[in-house]
Amino acid sequence: MCEKIGLSGLHPHCLRHTFATRGAENDIDVRVMQRFLGHATIQETADTYTHVLTDLKRNEILKLDKAVNY
């Protein structure tokens, strides 16, 4: 399927990781992501399929900064 749409060398499983990570970046509830991905536990979704990217970390630090520096 990936080769058919011009993504040769990419395993379809990579798309699951990207989907879960983008969901986390956009504040999609991990329980909803669990259902989308068909996992038995939230832990599997959170530990295996989401990757914390720099922008996500930066945004979370800014939230803490606002909470402390009111």
Side-chain angles (χ1 to χ4, degrees):
M1 181 188 338
C2 287
E3 288 177 12
K4 195 173 190 176
I5 62 171
L7 298 174
S8 60
L10 180 68
H11 191 279
H13 195 76
C14 295
L15 300 174
R16 290 176 60 83
H17 286 268
T18 301
F19 180 77
T21 301
R22 296 299 178 248
E25 289 175 334
N26 289 284
D27 296 322
I28 303 299
D29 188 284
V30 71
R31 292 169 295 187
V32 173
M33 293 304 296
Q34 173 199 1
R35 298 289 182 172
F36 286 158
L37 295 167
H39 296 148
T41 66
I42 290 172
Q43 199 69 37
E44 181 181 2
T45 305
D47 289 346
T48 306
Y49 287 90
T50 58
H51 307 286
V52 179
L53 302 178
T54 303
D55 287 344
L56 182 57
K57 290 188 287 189
R58 183 178 297 117
N59 290 339
E60 296 306 305
I61 287 296
L62 290 173
K63 287 179 189 177
L64 290 172
D65 185 52
K66 287 179 183 177
V68 174
N69 293 310
Y70 36 69

Short mmCIF file of all heavy atoms in Angstrom, two decimals:
data_model
loop_
_atom_site.label_atom_id
_atom_site.label_comp_id
_atom_site.label_asym_id
_atom_site.label_seq_id
_atom_site.Cartn_x
_atom_site.Cartn_y
_atom_site.Cartn_z
N MET A 1 0.83 -1.18 0.00
CA MET A 1 0.00 0.00 0.00
C MET A 1 0.88 1.26 0.00
O MET A 1 0.60 2.20 -0.72
CB MET A 1 -0.93 0.03 1.21
CG MET A 1 -1.79 1.25 1.18
SD MET A 1 -2.87 1.72 2.55
CE MET A 1 -3.21 0.35 3.50
N CYS A 2 1.94 1.27 0.84
CA CYS A 2 2.80 2.45 0.90
C CYS A 2 3.48 2.72 -0.44
O CYS A 2 3.57 3.86 -0.87
CB CYS A 2 3.85 2.29 2.01
SG CYS A 2 3.16 2.44 3.66
N GLU A 3 3.96 1.67 -1.09
CA GLU A 3 4.60 1.85 -2.39
C GLU A 3 3.60 2.39 -3.42
O GLU A 3 3.94 3.23 -4.24
CB GLU A 3 5.17 0.52 -2.89
CG GLU A 3 6.41 0.11 -2.12
CD GLU A 3 6.95 -1.24 -2.57
OE1 GLU A 3 6.51 -1.76 -3.61
OE2 GLU A 3 7.81 -1.77 -1.85
N LYS A 4 2.37 1.94 -3.31
CA LYS A 4 1.33 2.37 -4.24
C LYS A 4 1.08 3.88 -4.16
O LYS A 4 0.77 4.52 -5.15
CB LYS A 4 0.04 1.60 -3.94
CG LYS A 4 -0.99 1.67 -5.01
CD LYS A 4 -2.14 0.73 -4.69
CE LYS A 4 -3.06 0.60 -5.87
NZ LYS A 4 -4.13 -0.37 -5.62
N ILE A 5 1.24 4.47 -2.97
CA ILE A 5 1.00 5.91 -2.83
C ILE A 5 2.31 6.71 -2.82
O ILE A 5 2.33 7.88 -2.47
CB ILE A 5 0.16 6.22 -1.57
CG1 ILE A 5 0.88 5.78 -0.29
CG2 ILE A 5 -1.21 5.62 -1.67
CD1 ILE A 5 0.20 6.25 0.98
N GLY A 6 3.40 6.04 -3.20
CA GLY A 6 4.67 6.75 -3.35
C GLY A 6 5.51 6.85 -2.09
O GLY A 6 6.37 7.71 -1.97
N LEU A 7 5.29 5.98 -1.12
CA LEU A 7 6.06 5.98 0.12
C LEU A 7 6.88 4.71 0.23
O LEU A 7 6.85 4.02 1.24
CB LEU A 7 5.13 6.13 1.33
CG LEU A 7 4.32 7.40 1.41
CD1 LEU A 7 3.35 7.35 2.58
CD2 LEU A 7 5.23 8.61 1.55
N SER A 8 7.64 4.40 -0.80
CA SER A 8 8.44 3.18 -0.78
C SER A 8 9.48 3.25 0.34
O SER A 8 10.00 4.31 0.66
CB SER A 8 9.12 2.95 -2.12
OG SER A 8 9.98 4.02 -2.42
N GLY A 9 9.75 2.11 0.94
CA GLY A 9 10.70 2.04 2.04
C GLY A 9 10.09 2.35 3.40
O GLY A 9 10.76 2.27 4.42
N LEU A 10 8.83 2.69 3.42
CA LEU A 10 8.14 3.01 4.67
C LEU A 10 7.21 1.85 5.02
O LEU A 10 6.38 1.45 4.21
CB LEU A 10 7.33 4.30 4.52
CG LEU A 10 6.56 4.77 5.75
CD1 LEU A 10 7.51 5.22 6.85
CD2 LEU A 10 5.63 5.90 5.38
N HIS A 11 7.38 1.34 6.21
CA HIS A 11 6.51 0.26 6.66
C HIS A 11 5.19 0.87 7.16
O HIS A 11 5.20 1.89 7.84
CB HIS A 11 7.18 -0.52 7.79
CG HIS A 11 6.49 -1.79 8.13
ND1 HIS A 11 5.38 -1.84 8.92
CD2 HIS A 11 6.76 -3.06 7.74
CE1 HIS A 11 4.99 -3.10 9.03
NE2 HIS A 11 5.80 -3.86 8.33
N PRO A 12 4.06 0.25 6.84
CA PRO A 12 2.77 0.80 7.28
C PRO A 12 2.68 1.00 8.79
O PRO A 12 1.96 1.88 9.26
CB PRO A 12 1.75 -0.25 6.81
CG PRO A 12 2.42 -0.98 5.71
CD PRO A 12 3.89 -0.95 6.02
N HIS A 13 3.44 0.22 9.55
CA HIS A 13 3.41 0.36 11.01
C HIS A 13 3.90 1.74 11.46
O HIS A 13 3.46 2.25 12.49
CB HIS A 13 4.24 -0.75 11.66
CG HIS A 13 3.99 -0.91 13.11
ND1 HIS A 13 2.87 -1.52 13.61
CD2 HIS A 13 4.71 -0.50 14.18
CE1 HIS A 13 2.91 -1.49 14.93
NE2 HIS A 13 4.02 -0.88 15.30
N CYS A 14 4.78 2.35 10.68
CA CYS A 14 5.26 3.70 10.99
C CYS A 14 4.11 4.70 11.05
O CYS A 14 4.14 5.65 11.82
CB CYS A 14 6.27 4.17 9.95
SG CYS A 14 7.80 3.22 9.93
N LEU A 15 3.10 4.46 10.24
CA LEU A 15 1.95 5.36 10.21
C LEU A 15 1.18 5.31 11.51
O LEU A 15 0.61 6.31 11.94
CB LEU A 15 1.04 5.02 9.02
CG LEU A 15 1.70 5.12 7.65
CD1 LEU A 15 0.75 4.63 6.56
CD2 LEU A 15 2.18 6.53 7.36
N ARG A 16 1.16 4.16 12.20
CA ARG A 16 0.51 4.05 13.50
C ARG A 16 1.22 4.93 14.52
O ARG A 16 0.59 5.62 15.32
CB ARG A 16 0.49 2.60 13.98
CG ARG A 16 -0.44 1.72 13.19
CD ARG A 16 -0.38 0.27 13.63
NE ARG A 16 -0.74 0.03 15.00
CZ ARG A 16 -1.98 -0.10 15.44
NH1 ARG A 16 -2.99 -0.01 14.61
NH2 ARG A 16 -2.22 -0.33 16.72
N HIS A 17 2.56 4.90 14.50
CA HIS A 17 3.34 5.73 15.42
C HIS A 17 3.06 7.21 15.16
O HIS A 17 2.86 7.99 16.09
CB HIS A 17 4.84 5.44 15.29
CG HIS A 17 5.24 4.15 15.89
ND1 HIS A 17 5.67 4.04 17.19
CD2 HIS A 17 5.29 2.90 15.37
CE1 HIS A 17 5.96 2.79 17.45
NE2 HIS A 17 5.74 2.07 16.36
N THR A 18 3.06 7.58 13.90
CA THR A 18 2.80 8.97 13.53
C THR A 18 1.40 9.39 13.96
O THR A 18 1.21 10.46 14.54
CB THR A 18 2.97 9.17 12.02
OG1 THR A 18 4.30 8.81 11.66
CG2 THR A 18 2.70 10.61 11.61
N PHE A 19 0.43 8.54 13.73
CA PHE A 19 -0.96 8.82 14.10
C PHE A 19 -1.07 9.06 15.60
O PHE A 19 -1.67 10.04 16.05
CB PHE A 19 -1.85 7.65 13.67
CG PHE A 19 -3.29 7.82 14.01
CD1 PHE A 19 -4.11 8.66 13.27
CD2 PHE A 19 -3.84 7.13 15.08
CE1 PHE A 19 -5.45 8.81 13.59
CE2 PHE A 19 -5.18 7.28 15.41
CZ PHE A 19 -5.98 8.12 14.65
N ALA A 20 -0.48 8.16 16.39
CA ALA A 20 -0.55 8.28 17.85
C ALA A 20 0.18 9.53 18.35
O ALA A 20 -0.30 10.23 19.24
CB ALA A 20 0.02 7.03 18.51
N THR A 21 1.34 9.81 17.78
CA THR A 21 2.11 10.98 18.19
C THR A 21 1.37 12.26 17.84
O THR A 21 1.28 13.17 18.67
CB THR A 21 3.50 10.97 17.52
OG1 THR A 21 4.18 9.77 17.90
CG2 THR A 21 4.32 12.17 17.95
N ARG A 22 0.83 12.35 16.66
CA ARG A 22 0.08 13.55 16.26
C ARG A 22 -1.16 13.71 17.13
O ARG A 22 -1.56 14.82 17.47
CB ARG A 22 -0.32 13.50 14.78
CG ARG A 22 0.86 13.50 13.83
CD ARG A 22 1.71 14.75 13.98
NE ARG A 22 2.85 14.69 13.10
CZ ARG A 22 4.11 14.59 13.50
NH1 ARG A 22 4.39 14.54 14.79
NH2 ARG A 22 5.09 14.54 12.65
N GLY A 23 -1.78 12.61 17.51
CA GLY A 23 -2.92 12.69 18.42
C GLY A 23 -2.51 13.27 19.76
O GLY A 23 -3.20 14.14 20.31
N ALA A 24 -1.38 12.82 20.29
CA ALA A 24 -0.88 13.34 21.56
C ALA A 24 -0.56 14.83 21.45
O ALA A 24 -0.88 15.61 22.35
CB ALA A 24 0.36 12.57 22.01
N GLU A 25 0.05 15.22 20.35
CA GLU A 25 0.39 16.63 20.14
C GLU A 25 -0.85 17.52 20.08
O GLU A 25 -0.77 18.70 20.39
CB GLU A 25 1.17 16.80 18.82
CG GLU A 25 2.55 16.25 18.86
CD GLU A 25 3.23 16.32 17.51
OE1 GLU A 25 2.53 16.33 16.46
OE2 GLU A 25 4.45 16.36 17.50
N ASN A 26 -1.95 16.95 19.69
CA ASN A 26 -3.18 17.73 19.54
C ASN A 26 -4.19 17.46 20.65
O ASN A 26 -5.38 17.69 20.50
CB ASN A 26 -3.79 17.46 18.17
CG ASN A 26 -2.97 18.10 17.09
OD1 ASN A 26 -3.03 19.31 16.91
ND2 ASN A 26 -2.16 17.32 16.39
N ASP A 27 -3.67 16.98 21.78
CA ASP A 27 -4.47 16.76 23.00
C ASP A 27 -5.62 15.78 22.82
O ASP A 27 -6.65 15.91 23.48
CB ASP A 27 -5.00 18.09 23.56
CG ASP A 27 -3.87 19.01 24.01
OD1 ASP A 27 -2.88 18.48 24.57
OD2 ASP A 27 -3.97 20.22 23.81
N ILE A 28 -5.46 14.81 21.94
CA ILE A 28 -6.46 13.75 21.83
C ILE A 28 -6.29 12.86 23.05
O ILE A 28 -5.18 12.42 23.37
CB ILE A 28 -6.28 12.92 20.53
CG1 ILE A 28 -6.35 13.82 19.30
CG2 ILE A 28 -7.31 11.79 20.47
CD1 ILE A 28 -7.65 14.55 19.10
N ASP A 29 -7.36 12.61 23.76
CA ASP A 29 -7.32 11.79 24.97
C ASP A 29 -6.72 10.42 24.66
O ASP A 29 -7.07 9.79 23.66
CB ASP A 29 -8.73 11.64 25.52
CG ASP A 29 -8.75 10.98 26.87
OD1 ASP A 29 -8.58 9.75 26.93
OD2 ASP A 29 -8.95 11.70 27.87
N VAL A 30 -5.80 9.98 25.51
CA VAL A 30 -5.12 8.70 25.28
C VAL A 30 -6.10 7.53 25.25
O VAL A 30 -5.89 6.54 24.55
CB VAL A 30 -3.98 8.48 26.31
CG1 VAL A 30 -4.53 8.21 27.69
CG2 VAL A 30 -3.06 7.36 25.86
N ARG A 31 -7.22 7.65 25.95
CA ARG A 31 -8.23 6.58 25.92
C ARG A 31 -8.88 6.49 24.54
O ARG A 31 -9.20 5.40 24.05
CB ARG A 31 -9.29 6.81 27.00
CG ARG A 31 -8.73 6.64 28.40
CD ARG A 31 -9.69 7.13 29.41
NE ARG A 31 -9.84 8.58 29.23
CZ ARG A 31 -10.51 9.38 30.02
NH1 ARG A 31 -11.15 8.89 31.06
NH2 ARG A 31 -10.58 10.68 29.79
N VAL A 32 -9.06 7.65 23.91
CA VAL A 32 -9.62 7.66 22.55
C VAL A 32 -8.60 7.07 21.58
O VAL A 32 -8.95 6.25 20.72
CB VAL A 32 -10.02 9.09 22.14
CG1 VAL A 32 -10.45 9.15 20.68
CG2 VAL A 32 -11.12 9.62 23.05
N MET A 33 -7.33 7.46 21.73
CA MET A 33 -6.28 6.91 20.87
C MET A 33 -6.18 5.40 21.05
O MET A 33 -5.97 4.67 20.08
CB MET A 33 -4.93 7.57 21.16
CG MET A 33 -4.86 9.04 20.80
SD MET A 33 -5.26 9.40 19.07
CE MET A 33 -3.94 8.56 18.25
N GLN A 34 -6.34 4.93 22.27
CA GLN A 34 -6.31 3.49 22.54
C GLN A 34 -7.37 2.78 21.71
O GLN A 34 -7.11 1.75 21.09
CB GLN A 34 -6.55 3.23 24.03
CG GLN A 34 -6.70 1.76 24.37
CD GLN A 34 -7.37 1.54 25.71
OE1 GLN A 34 -7.75 2.48 26.40
NE2 GLN A 34 -7.54 0.29 26.07
N ARG A 35 -8.56 3.35 21.69
CA ARG A 35 -9.66 2.74 20.91
C ARG A 35 -9.38 2.79 19.41
O ARG A 35 -9.60 1.83 18.69
CB ARG A 35 -10.98 3.46 21.20
CG ARG A 35 -11.41 3.38 22.61
CD ARG A 35 -11.86 1.99 22.96
NE ARG A 35 -12.33 2.01 24.34
CZ ARG A 35 -12.92 1.01 24.93
NH1 ARG A 35 -13.13 -0.09 24.27
NH2 ARG A 35 -13.29 1.11 26.17
N PHE A 36 -8.88 3.95 18.94
CA PHE A 36 -8.55 4.07 17.52
C PHE A 36 -7.55 3.00 17.09
O PHE A 36 -7.65 2.42 16.01
CB PHE A 36 -7.97 5.44 17.20
CG PHE A 36 -8.95 6.57 17.17
CD1 PHE A 36 -8.50 7.87 17.36
CD2 PHE A 36 -10.31 6.37 16.96
CE1 PHE A 36 -9.38 8.94 17.33
CE2 PHE A 36 -11.20 7.44 16.93
CZ PHE A 36 -10.73 8.72 17.11
N LEU A 37 -6.54 2.78 17.94
CA LEU A 37 -5.46 1.86 17.59
C LEU A 37 -5.77 0.41 17.94
O LEU A 37 -5.04 -0.50 17.56
CB LEU A 37 -4.16 2.30 18.28
CG LEU A 37 -3.63 3.66 17.79
CD1 LEU A 37 -2.55 4.18 18.72
CD2 LEU A 37 -3.10 3.55 16.37
N GLY A 38 -6.85 0.18 18.70
CA GLY A 38 -7.26 -1.17 19.02
C GLY A 38 -6.43 -1.86 20.09
O GLY A 38 -6.32 -3.08 20.10
N HIS A 39 -5.85 -1.09 20.99
CA HIS A 39 -5.02 -1.66 22.05
C HIS A 39 -5.86 -2.12 23.23
O HIS A 39 -6.89 -1.53 23.54
CB HIS A 39 -4.00 -0.63 22.54
CG HIS A 39 -3.02 -0.25 21.49
ND1 HIS A 39 -2.47 1.00 21.42
CD2 HIS A 39 -2.50 -0.94 20.46
CE1 HIS A 39 -1.65 1.05 20.39
NE2 HIS A 39 -1.65 -0.11 19.79
N ALA A 40 -5.35 -3.13 23.92
CA ALA A 40 -6.05 -3.66 25.10
C ALA A 40 -5.90 -2.72 26.30
O ALA A 40 -6.78 -2.65 27.14
CB ALA A 40 -5.50 -5.04 25.45
N THR A 41 -4.78 -1.99 26.36
CA THR A 41 -4.53 -1.11 27.51
C THR A 41 -4.08 0.27 27.06
O THR A 41 -3.46 0.42 26.00
CB THR A 41 -3.44 -1.69 28.44
OG1 THR A 41 -2.19 -1.69 27.75
CG2 THR A 41 -3.78 -3.09 28.91
N ILE A 42 -4.37 1.24 27.91
CA ILE A 42 -3.88 2.60 27.66
C ILE A 42 -2.36 2.63 27.74
O ILE A 42 -1.69 3.35 27.00
CB ILE A 42 -4.50 3.59 28.68
CG1 ILE A 42 -5.99 3.74 28.38
CG2 ILE A 42 -3.80 4.94 28.66
CD1 ILE A 42 -6.74 4.53 29.42
N GLN A 43 -1.81 1.82 28.63
CA GLN A 43 -0.36 1.77 28.82
C GLN A 43 0.36 1.43 27.51
O GLN A 43 1.38 2.03 27.19
CB GLN A 43 -0.01 0.73 29.89
CG GLN A 43 1.35 0.90 30.48
CD GLN A 43 1.44 2.16 31.33
OE1 GLN A 43 0.51 2.51 32.02
NE2 GLN A 43 2.57 2.83 31.26
N GLU A 44 -0.18 0.48 26.77
CA GLU A 44 0.43 0.11 25.49
C GLU A 44 0.46 1.31 24.54
O GLU A 44 1.47 1.59 23.89
CB GLU A 44 -0.32 -1.05 24.84
CG GLU A 44 0.29 -1.49 23.52
CD GLU A 44 -0.46 -2.63 22.87
OE1 GLU A 44 -1.49 -3.08 23.41
OE2 GLU A 44 -0.02 -3.07 21.80
N THR A 45 -0.63 2.01 24.48
CA THR A 45 -0.71 3.19 23.61
C THR A 45 0.28 4.25 24.04
O THR A 45 1.05 4.77 23.23
CB THR A 45 -2.14 3.77 23.62
OG1 THR A 45 -3.05 2.74 23.27
CG2 THR A 45 -2.26 4.93 22.65
N ALA A 46 0.29 4.56 25.33
CA ALA A 46 1.13 5.65 25.83
C ALA A 46 2.62 5.31 25.75
O ALA A 46 3.43 6.14 25.34
CB ALA A 46 0.75 5.97 27.27
N ASP A 47 2.99 4.10 26.11
CA ASP A 47 4.41 3.75 26.17
C ASP A 47 5.01 3.40 24.82
O ASP A 47 6.17 3.70 24.56
CB ASP A 47 4.63 2.57 27.12
CG ASP A 47 4.43 2.94 28.57
OD1 ASP A 47 4.38 4.15 28.88
OD2 ASP A 47 4.32 2.02 29.40
N THR A 48 4.25 2.76 23.98
CA THR A 48 4.80 2.23 22.74
C THR A 48 4.59 3.14 21.54
O THR A 48 5.45 3.26 20.69
CB THR A 48 4.19 0.85 22.43
OG1 THR A 48 4.38 0.01 23.56
CG2 THR A 48 4.84 0.22 21.22
N TYR A 49 3.46 3.79 21.49
CA TYR A 49 3.09 4.45 20.25
C TYR A 49 3.17 5.96 20.25
O TYR A 49 3.03 6.59 19.21
CB TYR A 49 1.69 4.02 19.82
CG TYR A 49 1.69 2.61 19.29
CD1 TYR A 49 1.47 1.54 20.13
CD2 TYR A 49 1.95 2.37 17.96
CE1 TYR A 49 1.50 0.25 19.65
CE2 TYR A 49 1.98 1.08 17.47
CZ TYR A 49 1.75 0.01 18.33
OH TYR A 49 1.79 -1.25 17.85
N THR A 50 3.34 6.58 21.38
CA THR A 50 3.46 8.03 21.37
C THR A 50 4.90 8.44 21.62
O THR A 50 5.60 7.84 22.44
CB THR A 50 2.53 8.70 22.40
OG1 THR A 50 2.84 8.20 23.68
CG2 THR A 50 1.07 8.43 22.07
N HIS A 51 5.33 9.44 20.92
CA HIS A 51 6.69 9.94 21.03
C HIS A 51 6.60 11.43 21.36
O HIS A 51 5.91 12.17 20.68
CB HIS A 51 7.44 9.73 19.72
CG HIS A 51 7.37 8.32 19.25
ND1 HIS A 51 8.09 7.32 19.84
CD2 HIS A 51 6.62 7.73 18.29
CE1 HIS A 51 7.82 6.17 19.24
NE2 HIS A 51 6.91 6.40 18.31
N VAL A 52 7.30 11.82 22.40
CA VAL A 52 7.24 13.21 22.83
C VAL A 52 8.23 14.01 21.97
O VAL A 52 9.44 13.80 22.05
CB VAL A 52 7.58 13.35 24.32
CG1 VAL A 52 7.55 14.81 24.75
CG2 VAL A 52 6.61 12.53 25.15
N LEU A 53 7.70 14.90 21.18
CA LEU A 53 8.52 15.72 20.31
C LEU A 53 8.82 17.06 20.96
O LEU A 53 8.18 17.47 21.93
CB LEU A 53 7.80 15.93 18.98
CG LEU A 53 7.44 14.65 18.23
CD1 LEU A 53 6.68 14.97 16.95
CD2 LEU A 53 8.67 13.83 17.92
N THR A 54 9.80 17.75 20.43
CA THR A 54 10.28 19.01 21.01
C THR A 54 9.16 20.03 21.17
O THR A 54 9.04 20.65 22.22
CB THR A 54 11.41 19.59 20.14
OG1 THR A 54 12.45 18.61 20.04
CG2 THR A 54 11.96 20.86 20.75
N ASP A 55 8.33 20.21 20.17
CA ASP A 55 7.25 21.20 20.26
C ASP A 55 6.27 20.86 21.37
O ASP A 55 5.79 21.74 22.08
CB ASP A 55 6.50 21.32 18.94
CG ASP A 55 7.30 22.03 17.87
OD1 ASP A 55 8.30 22.70 18.22
OD2 ASP A 55 6.93 21.93 16.69
N LEU A 56 5.97 19.59 21.53
CA LEU A 56 5.05 19.16 22.59
C LEU A 56 5.66 19.46 23.96
O LEU A 56 4.99 20.00 24.84
CB LEU A 56 4.74 17.68 22.45
CG LEU A 56 3.77 17.08 23.45
CD1 LEU A 56 2.43 17.81 23.42
CD2 LEU A 56 3.57 15.60 23.18
N LYS A 57 6.93 19.16 24.12
CA LYS A 57 7.61 19.44 25.39
C LYS A 57 7.61 20.95 25.67
O LYS A 57 7.34 21.38 26.78
CB LYS A 57 9.04 18.90 25.38
CG LYS A 57 9.12 17.39 25.42
CD LYS A 57 10.54 16.91 25.59
CE LYS A 57 11.34 17.09 24.33
NZ LYS A 57 12.65 16.45 24.38
N ARG A 58 7.89 21.72 24.65
CA ARG A 58 7.94 23.18 24.81
C ARG A 58 6.57 23.72 25.24
O ARG A 58 6.47 24.55 26.14
CB ARG A 58 8.38 23.84 23.50
CG ARG A 58 8.52 25.36 23.59
CD ARG A 58 9.00 25.97 22.28
NE ARG A 58 10.33 25.50 21.94
CZ ARG A 58 10.64 24.78 20.86
NH1 ARG A 58 9.70 24.44 19.98
NH2 ARG A 58 11.87 24.39 20.62
N ASN A 59 5.53 23.26 24.61
CA ASN A 59 4.17 23.71 24.95
C ASN A 59 3.80 23.36 26.39
O ASN A 59 3.15 24.15 27.08
CB ASN A 59 3.15 23.13 23.98
CG ASN A 59 3.28 23.73 22.60
OD1 ASN A 59 3.83 24.82 22.42
ND2 ASN A 59 2.77 23.03 21.61
N GLU A 60 4.20 22.19 26.84
CA GLU A 60 3.89 21.79 28.21
C GLU A 60 4.66 22.63 29.22
O GLU A 60 4.12 23.02 30.26
CB GLU A 60 4.17 20.29 28.41
CG GLU A 60 3.30 19.39 27.56
CD GLU A 60 1.81 19.65 27.71
OE1 GLU A 60 1.30 19.62 28.86
OE2 GLU A 60 1.14 19.88 26.69
N ILE A 61 5.90 22.97 28.92
CA ILE A 61 6.69 23.85 29.80
C ILE A 61 6.05 25.22 29.86
O ILE A 61 5.99 25.85 30.92
CB ILE A 61 8.16 23.93 29.33
CG1 ILE A 61 8.87 22.62 29.63
CG2 ILE A 61 8.89 25.11 29.95
CD1 ILE A 61 9.00 22.29 31.11
N LEU A 62 5.55 25.72 28.74
CA LEU A 62 4.88 27.02 28.74
C LEU A 62 3.63 27.01 29.61
O LEU A 62 3.33 27.99 30.30
CB LEU A 62 4.53 27.44 27.31
CG LEU A 62 5.72 27.82 26.43
CD1 LEU A 62 5.26 28.06 24.99
CD2 LEU A 62 6.46 29.03 26.98
N LYS A 63 2.91 25.90 29.64
CA LYS A 63 1.75 25.78 30.52
C LYS A 63 2.17 25.90 31.98
O LYS A 63 1.52 26.58 32.78
CB LYS A 63 1.04 24.44 30.31
CG LYS A 63 0.27 24.32 29.03
CD LYS A 63 -0.36 22.92 28.96
CE LYS A 63 -0.97 22.63 27.63
NZ LYS A 63 -1.50 21.24 27.58
N LEU A 64 3.25 25.21 32.32
CA LEU A 64 3.76 25.29 33.71
C LEU A 64 4.24 26.69 34.03
O LEU A 64 4.00 27.19 35.14
CB LEU A 64 4.89 24.28 33.92
CG LEU A 64 4.49 22.82 33.92
CD1 LEU A 64 5.73 21.93 33.94
CD2 LEU A 64 3.60 22.51 35.10
N ASP A 65 4.89 27.32 33.08
CA ASP A 65 5.38 28.68 33.29
C ASP A 65 4.22 29.64 33.59
O ASP A 65 4.29 30.46 34.49
CB ASP A 65 6.16 29.15 32.07
CG ASP A 65 6.80 30.50 32.26
OD1 ASP A 65 7.51 30.68 33.27
OD2 ASP A 65 6.56 31.39 31.43
N LYS A 66 3.14 29.51 32.85
CA LYS A 66 1.97 30.36 33.07
C LYS A 66 1.36 30.09 34.45
O LYS A 66 0.89 31.02 35.11
CB LYS A 66 0.91 30.12 31.99
CG LYS A 66 1.30 30.71 30.65
CD LYS A 66 0.23 30.41 29.62
CE LYS A 66 0.66 30.93 28.27
NZ LYS A 66 -0.32 30.59 27.22
N ALA A 67 1.36 28.84 34.86
CA ALA A 67 0.78 28.50 36.16
C ALA A 67 1.60 29.08 37.32
O ALA A 67 1.05 29.51 38.33
CB ALA A 67 0.68 26.99 36.31
N VAL A 68 2.89 29.12 37.16
CA VAL A 68 3.78 29.61 38.23
C VAL A 68 3.90 31.12 38.21
O VAL A 68 3.98 31.76 39.26
CB VAL A 68 5.18 28.96 38.08
CG1 VAL A 68 6.16 29.53 39.08
CG2 VAL A 68 5.07 27.44 38.25
N ASN A 69 3.90 31.70 37.04
CA ASN A 69 4.10 33.16 36.91
C ASN A 69 2.79 33.88 36.59
O ASN A 69 2.66 34.59 35.62
CB ASN A 69 5.11 33.43 35.78
CG ASN A 69 6.46 32.95 36.12
OD1 ASN A 69 6.97 33.24 37.19
ND2 ASN A 69 7.08 32.19 35.23
N TYR A 70 1.83 33.73 37.45
CA TYR A 70 0.55 34.41 37.20
C TYR A 70 0.71 35.81 37.57
O TYR A 70 0.44 36.77 37.50
CB TYR A 70 -0.60 33.76 37.98
CG TYR A 70 -0.25 33.24 39.35
CD1 TYR A 70 0.07 34.08 40.40
CD2 TYR A 70 -0.21 31.88 39.56
CE1 TYR A 70 0.39 33.58 41.63
CE2 TYR A 70 0.11 31.36 40.79
CZ TYR A 70 0.41 32.22 41.83
OH TYR A 70 0.74 31.72 43.05
#
